[in-house]
Amino acid sequence: MMKKSHDVLNDPFLNKGTAFTQEERKQLGLIGLLPPCIQTLEEQSAQAYDQYRKKDSAIEKRHFLMEIFNTNRTLFYALFSRHVVEFMPIVYDPTIAESIERYDELFVDPQYAAYLSINEPENIETILKNAANGREIKLIVATDAEGILGIGDWGVNGVDISVGKLMVYTAAAGIDPSSVLPVVLDVGTNREQLLQDPLYLGNRHQRVRGDRYYDFVDQFVQKAEALFPKLYLHWEDFGRSNAANILNKYRDRIPTFNDDIQGTGIISLAGILGALNISKQQITDQVYMCFGAGSAGAGITNRIYQEMLQHGLSEEEARAKFYMVDLQGLLFDDMADLTPEQRPFARKRSEFPNSQELTTLEAAVKAVKPTILVGTSTCGGAFTESIVKKMAAHSERPIIFPLSNPTELAEATAKDLLTWTEGRALVATGIPTDPVEFNGVSYEIGQANNALIYPGLGLGVLASAARMLNDTMISKAAHSLGGLVDPDKAGAAVLPPVAKLPEFSRTVARGVAQSAVDQKLNKHPIADIDQAIDELKWAPQYRTLVE
């Protein structure tokens, strides 16, 4: 039964605000509940954008956009699609970090999220049903908020990251917003600031670990899969002790994806491939070093390693080219606290006559002489002039990606990297960066933004009805971004611009879906990949609500 009156106005999936036609107002009981003027979506968008531009700060702009999101999804995405580049850092990273930190004091709307408490596992199914409210859910972004961006453990506040990620799925890939569900797994928090905050809205106890935690996650997965049989499950910002364990448990059983482990790896690989297109070098000739050995760092390292295997190197030959550095220095295989993801890339001390001295990034760079240096450390300024010049002394076109965010946590700025290497560095950053002018050349700086990858990846998995997401499909996603940038242009970026996000998302989706079909992973026959994608995509347009 169609909702009427205030129930329509209070449903963000149905609400049109002043765009309801006269007939809709009559049949839906809206006569007199709205100003008499009937506006078009274009008029509403222009009016809203004018208001947006009058906001002074990034957080105020985000609050304004979230008010629209909470009341009218179509208008929100119409705006977002028109101003993708401008809105991305407002709706998502880096402004979302401040929103998460202030979630409790600013809370006004649950935003159709599902809040699952580890203290009430018996309610998981009921909560998921309540949150879906009869909608056919095809995509869930779930977080336990232990490793939010570069700001760490923020408990239930981290639900904002799930909401934000889903916004990008819709804006970039056209995933129907009525088919998505943000989920937060509230297992407690170790942030004392939150536990002592009288406004904190989550469970007030330390994070639950071990079997009870994994049982809770498993109950969530089982209930979600049973309720939503077409589900693609995206994990976001889990801590390093849990992220890989969860992904490895489910990756061969259901269509699932961890953006921190896999997404960052895919976009980093795509950026490296783009850099090598510019330098005209081979990936198998590179020496790779990652600074920051958490989930993201290990995920990127493994992705590049898998790519080298696909180019014909043996496992031994490929591993010889990889070095991981964390706060304690170069990782060695005799260290007691190595994670399963770090261990394959830990080195033997016998390889270095001065292994006991390799306790800093600079010492490691000097000893190893990497040609690729990727930062996921969240140590602002870690890529110093001395380190970069040591690297550039033995590499004609050093590939340097300071990927940590937000801005203050980035390992270096693109401007410094280009200045210190006299324009030779091939750079991608984790944050949006304006072009850098150096010696008469305008250098476009590619953003290693996972949004270039994960929306299209999800669209491809859903369009192909894939039973799982495997490494072959992931590799195809990275390679799909190749050829979208002219490598012979002076100052060319190593990655395509976020401005063309919808176009690139479709390119990635097509490649991923075709890979699934080629591997016979599709649950039902797919005769035409493009048609399958078109049938799934949603556009921000008002639909008629009455006959």
Side-chain angles (χ1 to χ4, degrees):
M1 182 180 295
M2 174 59 68
K3 295 181 178 179
K4 292 191 174 184
S5 190
H6 290 289
D7 289 338
V8 180
L9 298 178
N10 291 329
D11 187 330
F13 304 108
L14 298 177
N15 184 29
K16 300 182 183 183
T18 54
F20 282 108
T21 66
Q22 192 62 34
E23 187 60 28
E24 286 174 328
R25 297 181 186 209
K26 180 179 178 180
Q27 293 194 35
L28 297 176
L30 300 175
I31 296 293
L33 301 187
L34 292 162
C37 178
I38 297 174
Q39 294 180 299
T40 65
L41 179 58
E42 288 69 28
E43 290 170 335
Q44 289 178 319
S45 298
Q47 182 181 30
Y49 185 61
D50 284 342
Q51 295 178 60
Y52 166 87
R53 294 179 64 188
K54 294 174 183 176
K55 305 301 178 183
D56 293 327
S57 66
I59 195 67
E60 287 177 333
K61 289 179 177 179
R62 189 176 193 280
H63 292 163
F64 174 73
L65 292 177
M66 293 308 296
E67 288 177 9
I68 298 174
F69 176 80
N70 292 336
T71 56
N72 186 335
R73 293 288 201 271
T74 303
L75 176 56
F76 173 83
Y77 286 111
L79 270 172
F80 199 168
S81 65
R82 288 167 170 78
H83 307 283
V84 171
V85 176
E86 184 179 1
F87 282 12
M88 277 290 288
I90 301 297
V91 167
Y92 196 60
D93 185 37
T95 308
I96 198 172
E98 182 179 351
S99 177
I100 289 169
E101 291 171 345
R102 301 177 61 189
Y103 180 81
D104 310 310
E105 63 177 283
L106 300 174
F107 178 85
V108 293
D109 193 291
Q111 295 166 349
Y112 280 72
Y115 299 79
L116 303 181
S117 170
I118 196 167
N119 301 320
E120 300 175 358
E122 69 278 4
N123 290 334
I124 291 175
E125 182 174 2
T126 298
I127 294 169
L128 292 175
K129 284 182 178 179
N130 289 346
N133 195 29
R135 294 177 293 135
E136 182 184 28
I137 302 301
K138 297 180 181 178
L139 171 62
I140 285 177
V141 173
T143 186
D144 75 351
E146 184 176 7
I148 294 290
L149 299 170
I151 58 176
D153 177 357
W154 281 90
V156 80
N157 295 19
V159 70
D160 254 6
I161 209 74
S162 294
V163 174
K165 213 75 177 184
L166 288 168
M167 289 176 176
V168 180
Y169 266 108
T170 297
I175 303 296
D176 186 342
S178 70
S179 71
V180 309
L181 181 64
V183 170
V184 61
L185 306 177
D186 186 358
V187 299
T189 178
N190 292 344
R191 185 176 290 275
E192 196 64 27
Q193 169 189 344
L194 295 179
L195 296 175
Q196 299 302 320
D197 184 351
L199 296 179
Y200 181 57
L201 300 172
N203 285 326
R204 292 176 180 272
H205 56 69
Q206 295 288 307
R207 282 187 170 271
V208 174
R209 305 286 189 189
D211 290 345
R212 184 183 169 203
Y213 172 87
Y214 288 115
D215 287 346
F216 177 60
V217 173
D218 197 52
Q219 290 183 65
F220 157 62
V221 173
Q222 290 186 37
K223 297 297 185 184
E225 282 291 304
L227 288 171
F228 315 123
K230 297 180 181 179
L231 181 65
Y232 176 60
L233 179 54
H234 173 138
W235 307 97
E236 186 70 24
D237 286 346
F238 284 71
R240 69 164 64 182
S241 62
N242 293 319
N245 291 341
I246 292 171
L247 176 63
N248 292 335
K249 180 172 182 178
Y250 299 107
R251 66 190 305 171
D252 295 329
R253 292 167 43 184
I254 61 174
T256 193
F257 172 74
N258 183 300
D259 192 40
D260 307 293
I261 296 174
Q262 296 168 294
T264 308
I266 300 169
I267 195 62
S268 299
L269 172 58
I272 289 170
L273 293 175
L276 295 173
N277 281 340
I278 294 170
S279 68
K280 314 302 181 188
Q281 296 175 341
Q282 300 299 313
I283 193 168
T284 51
D285 295 330
Q286 306 306 305
V287 177
Y288 179 92
M289 179 176 285
C290 184
F291 180 51
S295 297
I300 296 170
T301 301
N302 185 62
R303 183 72 261 148
I304 312 306
Y305 167 74
Q306 294 295 332
E307 188 69 16
M308 288 199 180
L309 294 182
Q310 291 188 22
H311 279 76
L313 294 188
S314 68
E315 291 186 1
E316 183 178 359
E317 290 171 332
R319 281 182 180 154
K321 295 178 176 293
F322 288 86
Y323 299 82
M324 298 189 76
V325 182
D326 214 359
L327 297 181
Q328 69 268 44
L330 190 64
L331 298 190
F332 289 103
D333 60 4
D334 61 355
M335 293 177 169
D337 58 349
L338 295 176
T339 68
E341 291 69 43
Q342 295 168 346
R343 190 164 295 282
F345 303 104
R347 311 301 301 211
K348 295 185 180 299
R349 291 190 182 273
S350 58
E351 298 177 46
F352 301 92
N354 62 336
S355 64
Q356 73 282 359
E357 299 174 8
L358 303 183
T359 56
T360 66
L361 175 62
E362 184 161 5
V365 168
K366 181 178 179 180
V368 172
K369 298 179 173 61
T371 61
I372 300 174
L373 179 61
V374 173
T376 59
S377 66
T378 66
C379 294
F383 293 174
T384 64
E385 181 175 2
S386 177
I387 289 172
V388 171
K389 286 187 171 180
K390 281 183 173 64
M391 184 179 174
H394 58 78
S395 177
E396 179 61 27
R397 301 302 306 270
I399 299 171
I400 309 178
F401 291 2
L403 300 184
S404 293
N405 56 72
T407 304
E408 61 271 16
L409 302 182
E411 289 82 3
T413 67
K415 182 178 180 180
D416 282 343
L417 294 175
L418 288 165
T419 301
W420 296 336
T421 62
E422 299 181 327
R424 293 187 288 121
L426 294 160
V427 181
T429 57
I431 57 175
T433 302
D434 293 331
V436 175
E437 303 296 328
F438 183 80
N439 281 354
V441 177
S442 179
Y443 290 85
E444 299 290 333
I445 307 302
Q447 185 187 359
N449 188 331
N450 292 13
L452 290 171
I453 286 288
Y454 71 80
L457 191 72
L459 178 60
V461 171
L462 289 171
S464 63
R467 293 194 301 275
M468 67 178 70
L469 171 63
N470 63 18
D471 282 340
T472 302
M473 295 160 70
I474 288 172
S475 179
K476 186 66 176 179
H479 282 271
S480 293
L481 289 181
L484 297 176
V485 174
D486 180 4
D488 297 319
K489 178 185 176 183
V494 302
L495 286 163
V498 174
K500 296 184 178 180
L501 199 50
E503 175 187 334
F504 300 150
S505 294
R506 186 181 183 91
T507 300
V508 171
R510 187 183 299 113
V512 170
Q514 189 61 61
S515 177
V517 172
D518 291 345
Q519 297 178 75
K520 297 180 171 54
L521 292 175
N522 46 307
K523 296 177 185 176
H524 56 72
I526 305 291
D528 187 319
I529 294 294
D530 284 310
Q531 181 181 345
I533 292 173
D534 288 339
E535 290 175 351
L536 191 63
K537 289 195 69 172
W538 174 89
Q541 299 170 348
Y542 287 136
R543 61 187 180 92
T544 302
L545 298 183
V546 297
E547 295 297 332

